[in-house]
Amino acid sequence: MGVNACFYAVHMIFGFTNVGFPVVRGKVARSQDTEDRRSRHCPYLDTINRSVLDFDFEKLCSISLSHINVYACLICGKYFQGRGLKSHAYTHSVQFTHHVFLNLHTLKFYCLPDNYEIIDSSLEDITYVLKPTFTKQHISGLDKHGKLYRAYDGTTYLPGIVGLNNIKANDYANVVLQALSNVPPLRNYFLEEENYRGIRRPPGDIMFLLVQRFGELMRKLWNPRNFKAHVSPHEMLQAVVLCSKKTFQITKQGDAVDFLSWFLNALHGALGGTKKKSSIVTKVFQGSMRIFSKKLPHPDLPAEEKEALLQKEEYQEEMLESTFLYLTLDLPTAPLYKDEKEQLIIPQVPLFNILAKFNGNTEKEYKTYKENFLKRFQLTKLPPYLIFCIKRFTKNNFFVEKNPTIVNFPITVQGSGMSFKTCR
């Protein structure tokens, strides 16, 4: 009887599961109820300061500089690592009484130092700014209306037409990124992460980081719910520095055309494209041409010797089929003298005049260190979007010169469906 009474008392206190392990029923139920109540009724949500939140910068802990398990303090906007006891986020919470944090990877909100997850629909606008998403329906309607939106700071902006911060000397890259963000097929591809998420890359390949960062930047530029009317390309440019092996940097001026050439080719390769396999880059920008090249005799040779050389096979015209992602246009030489009013003459030229370079008939001499060539170009296939790069700067042994010639171009060409956009 004593044993049975003792077992009955234990059974009343603990209860037994069907596998024979005791469970404290009352305490577990109260703990779960308390946790659920705090998660959905956090008292610190009114301390969040949306005006200081900026998710454009690299996701690194401001103390340890680690990118692992990073949280953003939603009161001061700083990044800290971890949320456990003695972690940087925990210490910051206790020291400054900042309680609401966002995990930048899982997009979950937590209250520290109490360490419980916060579940509240009013925080959805913060996660959307951190990681904007676009539906197919939303993407299809981007070009149908030019609706202005109001940012959290009160400024109005047009999605896609927002400023990119000049961090130090990265304006040469900003103009290229802004121009590419307004090419609809390229934009639509990168607005939907599913389009490139499944692309397989070799282990340890860092070039795919360029694709991910460009997609993130594209979604931020077209985000209709931004907190501010400008975007910082910091993470995008960090990927550029890394993937270009510091050829292009944030702190040093670079050439926009060189950056465009490298970026398009790097993006094409990172998306799995090759010379034979296409990608969204080649589908949008790649055209083809024929290049006719003829070697010229040295200009100091006698006329008879020149005639003899021109008969040789080496000096006969050759034809080469080539592809291109953009076309370089040459400006006529700027005048050296002032006009009668002692003012510098700024010449003007129609766009179609300098496009004559690619009509298949116009010849131009190209000089190398040892040899001279006469070349002409004939376009055989135009891409859906044609990029022109007007060459204004020339280098000599002493300094760099800029050609100020004004290029006049039509907004649209009637009957052709062509339109023009400039990037300055």
Side-chain angles (χ1 to χ4, degrees):
M1 290 293 294
V3 173
N4 289 338
C6 181
F7 177 80
Y8 179 76
V10 171
H11 180 78
M12 289 295 293
I13 294 173
F14 292 101
F16 278 86
T17 65
N18 55 359
V19 292
F21 295 101
V23 177
V24 182
R25 290 174 177 170
K27 289 186 178 180
V28 171
R30 284 195 300 271
S31 176
Q32 289 177 345
D33 290 343
T34 304
E35 183 174 337
D36 289 344
R37 181 179 60 81
R38 291 193 304 173
S39 292
R40 298 188 180 276
H41 299 87
C42 180
Y44 302 111
L45 295 186
D46 60 344
T47 64
I48 295 175
N49 186 1
R50 286 172 170 80
S51 62
V52 301
L53 300 183
D54 191 344
F55 301 120
D56 293 342
F57 293 94
E58 197 170 2
K59 310 301 188 292
L60 295 177
C61 173
S62 58
I63 297 176
S64 67
L65 300 182
S66 171
H67 63 276
I68 300 173
N69 198 24
V70 178
Y71 291 77
C73 174
L74 301 187
I75 287 79
C76 65
K78 295 180 180 179
Y79 296 166
F80 299 97
Q81 186 180 22
R83 74 172 194 272
L85 191 65
K86 296 183 180 180
S87 67
H88 296 303
Y90 184 95
T91 304
H92 175 78
S93 173
V94 173
Q95 184 176 359
F96 295 96
T97 62
H98 292 175
H99 298 289
V100 186
F101 291 78
L102 168 63
N103 187 304
L104 297 176
H105 178 68
T106 64
L107 306 185
K108 292 183 178 181
F109 297 87
Y110 294 91
C111 180
L112 297 180
D114 295 342
N115 200 16
Y116 62 84
E117 183 182 352
I118 301 172
I119 303 173
D120 197 294
S121 59
S122 67
L123 303 175
E124 192 269 337
D125 63 325
I126 298 177
T127 57
Y128 193 87
V129 169
L130 174 58
K131 192 172 182 179
T133 55
F134 292 80
T135 63
K136 292 184 183 295
Q137 184 179 2
H138 186 189
I139 293 173
S140 63
L142 287 176
D143 297 320
K144 294 181 180 178
H145 56 82
K147 182 180 177 182
L148 290 172
Y149 290 84
R150 187 176 297 277
Y152 181 80
D153 61 5
T155 56
T156 56
Y157 70 98
L158 187 65
I161 314 296
V162 296
L164 283 176
N165 291 352
N166 189 9
I167 300 169
K168 182 70 175 180
N170 56 284
D171 49 335
Y172 72 95
N174 285 0
V175 294
V176 172
L177 296 173
Q178 282 182 314
L180 294 178
S181 70
N182 282 276
V183 178
L186 189 73
R187 174 201 66 195
N188 297 349
Y189 180 86
F190 281 97
L191 286 182
E192 218 173 340
E193 193 176 0
E194 294 297 326
N195 290 330
Y196 56 86
R197 180 181 290 170
I199 295 177
R200 294 183 179 180
R201 300 299 300 166
D205 178 36
I206 63 170
M207 296 303 292
F208 196 70
L209 183 65
L210 207 64
V211 176
Q212 294 174 320
R213 294 291 180 260
F214 186 59
E216 291 172 4
L217 178 64
M218 198 76 76
R219 289 188 286 275
K220 288 178 180 178
L221 287 171
W222 285 91
N223 182 8
R225 297 159 61 182
N226 269 326
F227 284 173
K228 55 189 184 305
H230 58 89
V231 174
S232 176
H234 188 266
E235 285 190 294
M236 175 75 243
L237 295 174
Q238 290 282 18
V240 167
V241 173
L242 180 64
C243 295
S244 70
K245 299 179 180 179
K246 298 185 179 180
T247 302
F248 302 100
Q249 300 185 30
I250 301 174
T251 57
K252 185 179 178 182
Q253 278 290 350
D255 185 88
V257 178
D258 291 343
F259 175 71
L260 172 69
S261 177
W262 172 84
F263 185 71
L264 290 180
N265 284 284
L267 205 60
H268 170 66
L271 289 169
T274 61
K275 289 184 177 181
K276 296 183 178 179
K277 185 179 179 181
S278 65
S279 70
I280 186 62
V281 175
T282 54
K283 289 177 182 177
V284 174
F285 297 118
Q286 184 172 280
S288 60
M289 69 168 71
R290 292 192 182 105
I291 303 175
F292 299 90
S293 178
K294 182 168 60 175
K295 186 178 177 181
L296 296 176
H298 195 279
D300 296 335
L301 293 176
E304 294 180 359
E305 193 172 341
K306 287 182 182 179
E307 290 293 335
L309 289 174
L310 289 173
Q311 302 302 318
K312 292 184 178 181
E313 184 179 353
E314 180 185 356
Y315 289 84
Q316 301 306 306
E317 187 174 69
E318 297 178 352
M319 190 269 287
L320 173 68
E321 295 279 355
S322 177
T323 58
F324 65 87
L325 293 175
Y326 64 91
L327 297 177
T328 302
L329 303 181
D330 303 315
L331 293 175
T333 305
L336 298 176
Y337 306 103
K338 297 180 180 181
D339 62 10
E340 62 275 7
K341 296 181 180 179
E342 293 297 316
Q343 294 179 348
L344 289 175
I345 302 171
I346 301 179
Q348 300 186 34
V349 59
L351 175 65
F352 295 109
N353 285 15
I354 56 178
L355 276 174
K357 173 183 177 181
F358 299 98
N359 62 9
N361 298 319
T362 304
E363 293 181 323
K364 185 177 179 181
E365 187 175 347
Y366 291 84
K367 297 181 180 181
T368 63
Y369 179 70
K370 293 182 178 180
E371 299 173 324
N372 296 345
F373 291 89
L374 198 64
K375 294 185 179 183
R376 56 190 178 94
F377 307 91
Q378 182 181 27
L379 299 180
T380 56
K381 179 187 175 183
L382 288 175
Y385 289 81
L386 183 60
I387 301 176
F388 296 143
C389 296
I390 300 175
K391 191 176 180 181
R392 292 190 177 274
F393 296 91
T394 54
K395 296 180 181 179
N396 55 37
N397 294 332
F398 303 101
F399 52 84
V400 177
E401 292 181 328
K402 180 182 179 181
N403 190 326
T405 302
I406 298 171
V407 179
N408 296 318
F409 59 92
I411 303 300
T412 58
V413 180
Q414 292 183 355
S416 68
M418 296 175 62
S419 62
F420 296 86
K421 292 183 180 180
T422 58
C423 175
R424 300 184 183 274

